[in-house]
Amino acid sequence: MSDNKWIRYINNNHESSKRIIVFPHAGGSANYYTELLNNNINAECIGIQYPGRQDRIFEDNLDSIEALSTNIYKELLKLEKKETVFFGHSMGALVAFELIKKFYNDIQFVKLLILSSSCPNYYDDKIDSTKDLFKYLYELGGTEKEALLCHRQQLEDLVLPTIKNDLLISKKYKLKKQSCKISIPIQVFVGNTDYDVKNHCQHWGKYTTHYLGEKYFKGGHFYFLNNKKVFQDELNQLLNEL
C-alpha cells in the first residue's frame, strides 16, 4: 500500500475486507483525520488529499466540486475493490455525494454515504471579507484559536486562499431533486449545537431512495474532536451492518 497525491492511508488495517474513505472539510487535509480514523476502526481507512494544501500547497486549487470529484474518481478506480463507506465532512460531503451521483456505475463497491454537512441547496457561508473568514473559522472550531490569532499573516498568505476557494465552490454546488436521487443509503452525522447544519441536513433525504436519518453527537461543527470513542463506535456499527 502506498500513498499518492490524492490517496493517503490513515491506518494499518489493510487486510480488512472493508474500507472507509474520508473527504475532508474546506481547507482540511487527510492527516487531520488520522487520530479519529485510527486502528480502532474495523476497516482500512483512507483520506483524500485535495490540492492546494500541505505537501500540495503549490498546486492550484480546483474550481468546482465536480472537478474535485472527477479527479478523485480516477484514483478510486486504481484501488483494490472492497466494500466501502464514504465519510464526507462539510465540503467533503458534497464531493462524496457528487462522486456517487456521477460515477456510481463504476464504483458500486461504495455501499454507504455518511454525510456531515448542510444539504447543498441550503449552503450559505455569508463570508464577504478576510475579517468575516477569520470570524467564521474562530466560531466554527476545529482550528486552534490561538493559531488563528498568533499566525494570522502566515494564514492569510498560505492557507486562506485555499479555504476561500473551498467555501466558494461549496456555495456554488447545487442539486436538482428530480435528477439527483441516488440509490445507496445516506446517514447524516451532525453536532447538536451545529445549528447551520442541524437546521438543513435532513434535506439530504430528498436525494436518496434510502435515507437512514440523522445521528446527533454532542458538540458543534467538529463534534467528533471531543467524541472520538462515540464516533468510532457508531462508525464500527455501521460497518458491521454492511
Side-chain angles (χ1 to χ4, degrees), residues 200-234:
H200 302 301
C201 61
Q202 71 276 9
H203 295 290
W204 280 114
K206 300 174 183 177
Y207 300 102
T208 177
T209 58
H210 191 182
Y211 186 57
L212 301 180
E214 302 94 43
K215 170 65 182 178
Y216 292 95
F217 298 81
K218 291 182 180 179
H221 196 62
F222 290 90
Y223 57 86
F224 44 75
L225 295 179
N226 296 317
N227 296 279
K228 185 168 74 170
K229 179 65 165 57
V230 175
F231 177 90
Q232 291 173 342
D233 288 346
E234 289 290 336

Side-chain angles (χ1 to χ4, degrees), residues 1-193:
M1 305 293 174
S2 59
D3 293 346
N4 65 30
K5 287 201 304 184
W6 292 90
I7 302 295
R8 307 296 166 92
Y9 288 90
I10 291 176
N11 70 7
N12 297 316
N13 293 339
H14 305 307
E15 301 304 317
S16 174
S17 62
K18 298 177 181 180
R19 174 187 290 131
I20 292 174
I21 300 179
V22 59
F23 297 81
H25 52 283
S29 61
N31 70 2
Y32 184 88
Y33 296 84
T34 300
E35 289 189 16
L36 184 68
L37 300 176
N38 57 27
N39 290 333
N40 292 329
I41 301 298
N42 299 327
E44 179 182 64
C45 296
I46 287 174
I48 298 298
Q49 185 79 334
Y50 310 130
R53 64 216 70 209
Q54 293 189 331
D55 59 328
R56 303 188 69 185
I57 189 70
F58 297 112
E59 296 181 44
D60 291 337
N61 292 299
L62 297 182
D63 62 1
S64 69
I65 296 295
E66 292 84 352
L68 275 173
S69 67
T70 297
N71 279 272
I72 295 166
Y73 159 72
K74 295 172 184 176
E75 298 302 322
L76 296 184
L77 294 180
K78 302 173 186 177
L79 297 176
E80 178 187 356
K81 302 300 181 286
K82 297 183 179 185
E83 286 189 319
T84 297
V85 173
F86 281 177
F87 170 56
H89 183 61
S90 201
M91 180 189 80
L94 312 184
V95 179
F97 182 86
E98 176 64 17
L99 268 162
I100 295 299
K101 179 175 74 71
K102 191 171 183 179
F103 299 113
Y104 182 63
N105 284 343
D106 294 330
I107 54 172
Q108 294 187 32
F109 50 84
V110 182
K111 305 300 182 183
L112 172 67
L113 284 183
I114 302 174
L115 304 180
S116 191
S117 167
S118 294
C119 195
N121 296 21
Y122 298 86
Y123 187 97
D124 187 2
D125 56 61
K126 299 176 183 175
I127 294 171
D128 299 313
S129 67
T130 298
K131 182 179 178 181
D132 289 340
L133 183 53
F134 269 93
K135 183 174 183 289
Y136 169 82
L137 294 173
Y138 189 87
E139 292 175 348
L140 205 59
T143 303
E144 291 294 337
K145 295 181 179 182
E146 289 184 4
L148 288 176
L149 297 174
C150 296
H151 304 289
R152 178 169 180 146
Q153 188 59 53
Q154 184 180 11
L155 285 169
E156 286 193 36
D157 293 342
L158 292 177
V159 179
L160 290 198
T162 290
I163 299 176
K164 286 179 180 178
N165 178 80
D166 289 355
L167 292 174
L168 176 62
I169 66 174
S170 297
K171 190 173 183 177
K172 289 193 315 184
Y173 183 68
K174 304 295 182 186
L175 296 174
K176 295 179 180 179
K177 185 170 67 173
Q178 307 93 301
S179 60
C180 296
K181 188 166 282 194
I182 63 173
S183 59
I184 70 168
I186 290 178
Q187 170 73 65
V188 169
F189 281 6
V190 59
N192 63 359
T193 60

